Amino acid sequence: MNPTDTKHPDYYHRVVDCQWACPAHTDVPEYIRLIAQGRFTDAYMVNRESNVFPGILGRVCDRPCEPACRRGRVEEEPVAICRLKRVAADLRDDVDARLPLIPEVRNGKRIACIGAGTASLTVANDLMPLGYEVTIFEAFNKAGGLMRTNIPAFRLPAQVLDEEIAMIVGMGVDLRLGSRVESMRKLLNSKEFDAVFVGSGAPRGKELKLPGRQEAAANVHIGIAWLESVAFDHVDRIGERVLIIGVGNTAMDCCRTSLRLGAKDVKVMARKPRGFFKASDWELKDAEEEHVQIVINHSPKAFVVENGKLVGMTFERMEYGLDGGRITAERSLGETFIPCDDVILAIGQENAFPWIERDLGIEFDKWEVPSVDPVTFQSTREGVFFGGDAAFGPKNIIWAVEHGHQAAISIHKYCQGESVQERLPNGMKLSSRKMGMHEWSYHNDYNPAERRLMPHVDLKERFRKLNIEVELGFTPEQAVAEVQRCLNCDIQTVFEAKLCIECDACLDICPVDCLTITPNGEEADLRTRLKAPTLNTAQPLFVSEALKQTGRVMVKDEDLCVHCGLCAERCPTAAWDMQKGTVELRHAVDQQPAAQLPRRATGSGGQ
Amino acid sequence: MTYLLKPKVAHPSLRRNSLGFTRRDYEGTLSTLCAGCGHDSITAAITEACWSLEMEPQNLVKLSGIGCSSKTTAYFVSGGHGFNSVHGRMPSIATGANAANRNLSYIGVSGDGDTLSIGMGQFCHAIRRNINMLYIIENNGVYGLTKGQFSASADMGSTAKKGEANAQVPIDPVLTALSLGAGFVARSFSGDKAQLVPLIQAGLKHRGFALIDVLSPCVTFNDHEGSTKSYAFSREHYQEVVHTDFVPKMPEITTSYEAGEALSVQMHDGSQVRLRKLEKDYNPTDRSAAYADIQRRLKEREFLTGLLYVEPSPADFHDLNETPASALNAVPYEKLSPGSEGLQKILDRYR
Ligand SMILES: Cc1cc2nc3c(=O)[nH]c(=O)nc-3n(C[C@H](O)[C@H](O)[C@H](O)COP(=O)(O)OP(=O)(O)OC[C@H]3O[C@@H](n4cnc5c(N)ncnc54)[C@H](O)[C@@H]3O)c2cc1C
Ligand SMILES: Cc1ncc(C[n+]2csc(CCOP(=O)(O)OP(=O)(O)O)c2C)c(N)n1
Ligand code: SF4
Ligand code: SF4
Ligand code: SF4
Ligand SMILES: [Mg+2]
């Protein structure tokens, strides 16, 4: 293999599994260390820089970082990354003084954002400090999008949402609530705006067209619309027996909300067996803790109506042939009737843009999904950008944030008359953590503690009101223990081939056998000659330049390194060093030196 | 010195031997030697060999003298028995322990100073008596622990760190052992575990005295230019002439080597040592020829390595002295102690 190009900004970034998996590339190990030092506000700001909504995400993020976390490969459970984010958000001080400064004189460019959801708010967050005038049009009377209308308050308290939205709106955003955009043509023709960002989400809940649907309409609800009605107090009760159709995250919110509105017997009806559910494990666990019953292998057939009222549903009981996690055959075992008072459909969402005329040069495919460039987020019409669920269909909050960042870069470049394609790549900064012979400025010892469990509000107490937050957050003791589980994957092992005398000390000391000195070869061949077998080819192999004495190469399988620094400690020549790698993310503000405009502090509601 | 203990976390694929132990279970306390010391690599090789021999830790006895090398018995198999003797006196302890219990495996770790200077007499007599043990010399050409004075293995002309050259003739432990009749004589290099691990396995299974002289660079006092025991010099000047594979005893022998391809030597417990000649003229079963070859090549500054001489099943210390089959601590007290009457009878024999 050729010597690894560790100068490539992605090489060491990939080693930081959590950061690499996070769509917005949050510097997780850095904020965890700051929490460990009790620097909660600093930890909050590190988060905010990439994910903009740490308090919200610390509660309800889809957390793709956790299944990726390295700790989960050397032990059962990953670091509770998401919960630690909440610790920083809950314990931070006022951050007003640390929010970006806003130029007193604007740059003269006006941007329209449609929808006040995650994506639009992120665009505003990134463009306001550059002097843009951002107007957000929102159909509802409150900002926040699905975070407000669909994520129930028992998971995400309104106060947390209000605070983090206020930080952005307080920058001077022109937020127009209760202003649904009815025609894109009108908006574009008004020539009021230099660019338009569409962050209107994927607002249409999918229908289930089965016999009896029409007749049962009064007691059959579409999940996301129903949750929205609950959020705006239009609905405050439901029947005693409720069936939820579908087993995704929306279903989990519907079943738990039902329990808080008077339902006694809630069943989530799944067509397939466990393992094929869309809902996250932790959401399933939380629902089951509240005695929601999850019924597998039931395929809905019909709504049963008697005397004009829904009395239940019929299902086909299914049996599946499984092979290595794939369904290879299915068979019906006959029909069954399950009585109920209400049904909530939670089988997915779709895009819908009835307000965008189809002759504006903004192209859509046959599923009503707009054609959007996955890098620039520009539509087929210059100056019109999409992001969040509106761009590629429903995803999640953290993806909407990242779309917002990328779209903001494009909007900035577009307004400055530059190519939206030519974007500054991420950078990687390395700096040694060596303090002395055996001293590092990070905590390199491996702490064998197990993952802490999130404490919950008592099962009776939590149903008293709709908005009692169920998760209590980590206690200080739990936070102290949990931060020690992080392996500091951003403290990189950096190798200097010309210093190595091939003494084997690093190979011998490495607790997880990830180092090998061997003659060079092709990757497939090299992987067979490692000291410990490769378990995960998704992680890169580091291959050094030829070593001086024998011409062999140092090979490191990055997969299981626990960043203990022992290789560097045992190395007599400092050929290994432990260096903190900082991914330099390029947001809109980093794209070019911003014009030196006088700035003022923002007046938001930090806390 | 490392302040951090090697964490217990391990690679998930780490294998267990038939006793249920992983290689990590054969580790000892953390080394306090200089980072990069060859001795630490030898420790790792011993750990690996003990694991793959499926050795019960309590059946291993670790003996040593004084020196950096002699400290290393603490760094492997913490479940074994250990004895750090006075400087150069490890062979006496090995002799006594052997006499008391012939059913344990004995591994002695010594240095070139501990063995070839103060302990030279003991070393020679341990060979003569054919003590059943594996004797490893971690040979760095200096007294490491006392800050790098030339040892008796330092080559003529090799320079010390500050530049002065050694003017005295070296003692070569391999030639010494051959001349004293040792039945298992090997040389290796700390930087070559593929060679060293099977040699340690074979040495532990050899009946009688087994010597492995391991070139083991001292990074602090003897790894400079001008030294003939540095990593760079050792790598350039060591030449493997016989490669050894160790084949543990199996219920049935499933593979057999083609005749002529390899020489197979049977160990007393049924395991086998297979020698593959890398130089066709070298003969590891002819003592005088081996002696001559090694000596000639040494003069050319070349260290031949591998299992340089092997002679199966010579009468060992136990045969020579008719030691009891069971350990003394397992012999009933009445049998072990003659009692005052019995003692009297014995004494009377000498009146
Ligand atoms: C029930 C449910 C639970 C969820 N739970 C989670 C979770 O726990 N974690 C997670 O990460 N994600 C979750 N999601 C997904 C997440 O909420 C969305 O992916 C995210 O909010 C998308 O943000 P957005 O900015 O693209 O759009 P949205 O949040 O949908 O915001 C769009 C906004 O645009 C407004 N709008 C639409 N059309 C117009 C118009 N023509 N004029 C003016 N305004 C308009 C809407 O009123 C809305 O406020 C959940 C989704 C649902 C449905
Ligand atoms: C009786 C006695 N004399 C001298 C010493 C001092 N001393 C300690 S270690 C040592 C030499 C060790 O050299 P070597 O055996 O080569 O071990 P190394 O440290 O090089 O591994 C000496 C002379 C001593 N401890 N005891
Ligand atoms: S151990 Fe820490 S740095 Fe490594 S992936 Fe997990 S959270 Fe991230
Ligand atoms: S830091 Fe070095 S010694 Fe520690 S696990 Fe990684 S490679 Fe091994
Ligand atoms: S410890 Fe240092 S000098 Fe020794 S092999 Fe490893 S990198 Fe090379
Ligand atoms: Mg020595």
Side-chain angles (χ1 to χ4, degrees), chain A residues 39-45 48 88-100 159 163-164 166-167 601-607:
Chain A
R39 292 167 59 187
F40 305 114
T41 312
D42 291 335
Y44 182 85
M45 292 312 291
R48 193 179 185 284
D90 285 357
L91 302 182
R92 72 180 161 91
D93 297 325
D94 187 281
V95 297
D96 266 4
R98 303 176 63 162
L99 294 175
Q159 186 215 345
E163 271 175 19
E164 291 189 331
M167 287 184 204
T602 64
S604 83
Q607 200 173 53

Side-chain angles (χ1 to χ4, degrees), chain A residues 267-311:
Chain A
K267 292 188 175 71
V268 172
M269 307 303 297
R271 222 157 54 77
K272 291 181 183 169
R274 256 172 210 273
F276 293 89
F277 296 175
K278 283 222 182 97
S280 328
D281 279 347
W282 60 87
E283 294 212 72
L284 285 164
K285 254 190 229 153
D286 289 345
E288 290 189 298
E289 176 184 310
E290 297 182 353
H291 305 304
V292 168
Q293 200 188 334
I294 295 177
V295 181
I296 59 163
N297 296 355
H298 277 62
S299 180
K301 276 278 128 198
F303 298 93
V304 182
V305 179
E306 276 173 20
N307 306 324
K309 195 178 173 313
L310 176 79
V311 292

